[in-house]
Amino acid sequence: MADVANSSSGDSVTDRLVRVLETFTPTRTAQTAAEIGRRAGLPSSSAHRIVGELVDSGLLERDDDRRVRIGMRLWELATRSSQALRLRQSAMPAMERVQARIREHTQLAILEQDEALFLERLSGPASGSNVTRVAGRLPLHASSSGLVLLAFGDHDLQERILASPLPPLTRETITDPAALRRKLAEVRSLGHAVARGFIEAVSTGVAVPVRDETGQVVAALSVVLRRDAPVEPALVELHAGKREIERALGFRG
Amino acid sequence: MADVANSSSGDSVTDRLVRVLETFTPTRTAQTAAEIGRRAGLPSSSAHRIVGELVDSGLLERDDDRRVRIGMRLWELATRSSQALRLRQSAMPAMERVQARIREHTQLAILEQDEALFLERLSGPASGSNVTRVAGRLPLHASSSGLVLLAFGDHDLQERILASPLPPLTRETITDPAALRRKLAEVRSLGHAVARGFIEAVSTGVAVPVRDETGQVVAALSVVLRRDAPVEPALVELHAGKREIERALGFRG
């Protein structure tokens, strides 16, 4: 059984499990065990055994056509006691109010592994273009949420991001470290981030920081406006929403 | 490494992983490795090793005080490509509309392992009492969502539930199989379920079935009213909401 527990390269069962789960994406929700094995870099026999075990335990589910999907049981176990859910539940009433008033995509993001991870996105039928997905990520230097999380993040994080490549998503994404440093100072000084055309040329992201009871910024609340829409009405609602979430989290600022 | 892969009782690594994850609940979100081991029935050395591996891979996260929590990475992997998320995203605009109009808890549940599993719950500041949680479960015979999922579920499921214990949650929960059989016939005939005081004496659950493009009932849309509130306004909104979700799912009924 040594090959199940640890491969010759020394990766643990948990590593292999994570690699299996990572082969699933928003656009690749069903795969065969062979496809999973190839994408996870696992030998075919290991892939079939791990997938079989995961199906038996309900973490993956098998389709009628023998392809497998992320199981409802995995979602349930991951969700029911997670901090993501607690933060999201605290934020939902405020997010609903912002969405109802601004009528554009309204999002909550946290810092996770040097990216902005989106915990929630509320949209209406009239909302504009938006690449964000729930449980999706965007780069810190390009998204308004990311700029807020970076600007109010710790020094090490800022230096790490400033020293790493800053790939452009559009012609307007900030890719110069000195310009990004100035933008972060602006975000701290204004208390919000405006990212016009950084992610998509047609959109402007506007984000504000959300603090928990310790006063630390734990999330960014944002809306995605049409590029040339005025940002002031959105900022008024975002600030009201952010204060409401902070009260729910116990922040007395 | 045999003890990591398979214990003497023959449970797989995945079984052990599920047992570790199952020790986390909405009210027990942080535990020590020793507590996890005890609750999961694992030897202390195995518990520490598995928890260590899960922390290394980000599926669990360690607190400042050495307790561990469900990791954001597990939530992300479980959520980003799951059917739960797809169904929920299809339902959200309709749920928001129902919640905005009825101003009481609005919920979406699916059938999972003979229980009603709640994918989403929207609440407003004025909403009444409600025991439901996102990623939480309620018994089929007691909740309005469960009654809908059971009434429109397959014959085997119905006979299995009718043959099993029907524990009371309140004095009004249906606990007699013959009475439950009559209630299910009523739900099928009316096209909705009303559960007055079944879960909590102070509340009435009202639920309607939601069909996917194959015409199969895949979810229940529900609201939790104050016990003596009229159900008709809620039913009007639930039926409008259910039709909107069914259109989003591709049902042409």
Short mmCIF file of all heavy atoms in Angstrom, two decimals, chain A residues 1-8 11 13 16 49, chain B residues 1-2 5:
data_model
loop_
_atom_site.label_atom_id
_atom_site.label_comp_id
_atom_site.label_asym_id
_atom_site.label_seq_id
_atom_site.Cartn_x
_atom_site.Cartn_y
_atom_site.Cartn_z
N MET A 1 0.83 -1.21 0.00
CA MET A 1 0.00 0.00 0.00
C MET A 1 0.86 1.26 0.00
O MET A 1 0.35 2.36 0.04
CB MET A 1 -0.89 0.03 1.27
CG MET A 1 -1.96 -1.02 1.29
SD MET A 1 -3.51 -0.40 0.58
CE MET A 1 -3.40 -1.07 -1.06
N ALA A 2 2.21 1.06 0.00
CA ALA A 2 3.07 2.24 0.09
C ALA A 2 2.81 3.20 -1.07
O ALA A 2 2.87 4.40 -0.91
CB ALA A 2 4.54 1.81 0.10
N ASP A 3 2.45 2.66 -2.23
CA ASP A 3 2.24 3.54 -3.38
C ASP A 3 0.97 4.39 -3.24
O ASP A 3 0.82 5.40 -3.89
CB ASP A 3 2.19 2.72 -4.67
CG ASP A 3 1.00 1.79 -4.73
OD1 ASP A 3 0.57 1.31 -3.64
OD2 ASP A 3 0.48 1.53 -5.80
N VAL A 4 0.04 3.94 -2.41
CA VAL A 4 -1.15 4.75 -2.17
C VAL A 4 -0.78 5.90 -1.22
O VAL A 4 -1.17 7.04 -1.42
CB VAL A 4 -2.30 3.93 -1.55
CG1 VAL A 4 -3.51 4.82 -1.29
CG2 VAL A 4 -2.67 2.79 -2.48
N ALA A 5 -0.03 5.56 -0.19
CA ALA A 5 0.26 6.57 0.82
C ALA A 5 1.25 7.61 0.29
O ALA A 5 1.01 8.80 0.39
CB ALA A 5 0.86 5.91 2.08
N ASN A 6 2.33 7.16 -0.28
CA ASN A 6 3.35 8.08 -0.75
C ASN A 6 3.93 7.57 -2.07
O ASN A 6 4.36 6.43 -2.16
CB ASN A 6 4.50 8.17 0.27
CG ASN A 6 4.19 9.10 1.40
OD1 ASN A 6 3.06 9.10 1.90
ND2 ASN A 6 5.15 9.89 1.81
N SER A 7 3.98 8.41 -3.05
CA SER A 7 4.60 8.00 -4.31
C SER A 7 6.11 8.04 -4.15
O SER A 7 6.63 8.52 -3.15
CB SER A 7 4.17 8.95 -5.41
OG SER A 7 4.93 10.13 -5.30
N SER A 8 6.81 7.60 -5.19
CA SER A 8 8.27 7.61 -5.14
C SER A 8 8.79 9.04 -4.99
O SER A 8 9.83 9.26 -4.41
CB SER A 8 8.83 6.97 -6.41
OG SER A 8 8.26 7.60 -7.54
N ASP A 11 5.24 12.63 -2.53
CA ASP A 11 4.04 13.40 -2.28
C ASP A 11 3.07 12.59 -1.42
O ASP A 11 2.97 11.38 -1.55
CB ASP A 11 3.38 13.90 -3.57
CG ASP A 11 3.05 12.77 -4.54
OD1 ASP A 11 3.53 11.64 -4.31
OD2 ASP A 11 2.32 13.03 -5.50
N VAL A 13 -0.66 11.42 0.31
CA VAL A 13 -1.99 11.13 -0.21
C VAL A 13 -2.78 12.43 -0.35
O VAL A 13 -3.52 12.62 -1.30
CB VAL A 13 -2.75 10.19 0.75
CG1 VAL A 13 -4.11 9.86 0.18
CG2 VAL A 13 -1.94 8.95 1.00
N ARG A 16 -1.94 14.30 -3.42
CA ARG A 16 -2.56 13.68 -4.60
C ARG A 16 -4.04 14.02 -4.66
O ARG A 16 -4.58 14.28 -5.74
CB ARG A 16 -2.39 12.16 -4.53
CG ARG A 16 -0.95 11.76 -4.69
CD ARG A 16 -0.79 10.27 -4.51
NE ARG A 16 0.42 9.88 -5.17
CZ ARG A 16 0.57 8.75 -5.86
NH1 ARG A 16 -0.42 7.89 -5.93
NH2 ARG A 16 1.69 8.48 -6.45
N ARG A 49 -7.80 4.23 -8.59
CA ARG A 49 -8.05 3.85 -7.19
C ARG A 49 -8.49 5.07 -6.36
O ARG A 49 -9.46 5.00 -5.61
CB ARG A 49 -6.79 3.24 -6.58
CG ARG A 49 -7.02 2.60 -5.22
CD ARG A 49 -5.76 1.89 -4.73
NE ARG A 49 -4.60 2.73 -5.00
CZ ARG A 49 -3.49 2.32 -5.61
NH1 ARG A 49 -3.34 1.07 -6.00
NH2 ARG A 49 -2.49 3.16 -5.80
N MET B 1 4.24 2.69 5.78
CA MET B 1 3.18 3.61 5.42
C MET B 1 1.82 2.92 5.32
O MET B 1 0.82 3.56 5.04
CB MET B 1 3.49 4.27 4.05
CG MET B 1 4.69 5.17 4.06
SD MET B 1 4.25 6.89 4.40
CE MET B 1 4.54 6.99 6.15
N ALA B 2 1.81 1.61 5.55
CA ALA B 2 0.55 0.89 5.38
C ALA B 2 -0.52 1.46 6.31
O ALA B 2 -1.69 1.50 5.96
CB ALA B 2 0.75 -0.59 5.64
N ALA B 5 -2.21 4.39 4.65
CA ALA B 5 -3.08 4.07 3.52
C ALA B 5 -4.33 3.34 3.98
O ALA B 5 -5.44 3.71 3.65
CB ALA B 5 -2.34 3.21 2.51
#
